Amino acid sequence: MPELPEVEAFARYFAKHALKKRVARVVVRDERVLGVRAETLSRALRGAAFREVRRHGKHLFADAGRQWLHLHFGMSGELTAHEDPKAAPRFARVIFVFSDRTCLAFEDMRLFGVVDLTPSPEQYVEDHSLGPDPLTPRFTPRVFSELARGRRGAVKSLLMSQDVIAGVGNLYADETLYQCGVHPRRSVADLSGADLRVLHRILRGVLRTAVERRIQDRGLPPRWLFDHREEGKRCPQCGGSIQRTAVFGRTTYFCGKHQR
DNA sequence: TTCCATGTTCCGCA
DNA sequence: TTGCGGAACATGGA
């Protein structure tokens, strides 16, 4: 489930369980999640202590001194801390073992995640043409309007394009449009300046609320679309019928009555 | 057994 | 150039 709010919760979890601890060794159980050679990763981290953790969109970065550890969670990645490395679960692909013998496991059942190294978060963002993180002050309504200007595609595509906004995936794109009452296939060119300002405000509200909930390990509000992602279900806001379609190659749910 | 899944990337086409 | 559809990646669950 890792989109921006989940990754923010992972960042807090990382800070709690891994920051300021010295890395004793790195156990690579499955090299397929690595973006660097196992030996390179080990050499970069062994003996180092993570000094700071940062997040940009769905990407997590931890300062290991000369380099930063970069984690991307793909479809099914998550972090879990354990008292004993031997207790790390089945899908733990990489395990960071600390000198106090506790460990942090990068779990990823479906193997779409990535563990690698980068010179700095800024460099990574630059190299991968990531857009601004929508929860930073830099992401103003004006910046959002400029990013949207000139785009012809569907508004859902805009929200999910990582080079426009970093961190919004399928679920939170649907959620935002649902709360705005905007149809996911509505053309960006068709949105007024006022529409874009509303979209910007609701997007940030959705993400902020989701971050709070995820940090507390709670579910999302019952009146959100989130728990009603099923064709034919009743819309908790207007009683309309939830529809299913595909936009931007992803399964998309929306209310056929109040999203226009 | 078949279909589907919260992500990214690449190719081909309009 | 931009944007989109579709496929591919790997694996488990409904």
Side-chain angles (χ1 to χ4, degrees), chain A residues 1-18 53-55 58-60 71-80 104-107 211 214-215 217:
Chain A
M1 59 175 126
E3 296 182 33
L4 186 156
E6 290 75 29
V7 178
E8 178 62 31
F10 294 157
R12 312 280 179 119
Y13 191 84
F14 189 102
K16 183 175 171 190
H17 295 281
V53 59
R54 276 194 229 165
R55 179 192 58 71
K58 304 171 193 172
H59 301 263
L60 191 151
L71 302 178
H72 187 272
F73 298 89
M75 291 267 255
S76 57
E78 59 179 320
L79 295 175
T80 55
L104 186 72
F106 178 85
E107 292 189 61
V211 164
R214 292 314 192 194
I215 287 170
D217 206 16

Side-chain angles (χ1 to χ4, degrees), chain A residues 118-188:
Chain A
T118 185
S120 70
E122 293 81 5
Q123 189 67 50
Y124 187 92
V125 167
E126 166 82 24
D127 289 348
H128 294 79
S129 312
L130 294 178
D133 182 282
L135 290 187
T136 56
R138 199 188 133 198
F139 188 72
T140 58
R142 179 188 291 266
V143 164
F144 181 54
S145 302
E146 310 239 323
L147 289 165
R149 182 167 29 207
R151 294 186 66 110
R152 303 174 270 120
V155 61
K156 177 165 177 179
S157 315
L158 175 80
L159 295 180
M160 284 185 68
S161 294
Q162 299 300 298
D163 58 336
V164 175
I165 307 163
V168 179
N170 197 32
L171 293 158
Y172 291 106
D174 278 2
E175 190 64 52
T176 299
L177 296 169
Y178 173 81
Q179 295 190 25
C180 289
V182 170
H183 192 290
R185 243 196 279 275
R186 181 93 168 263
S187 163
V188 175

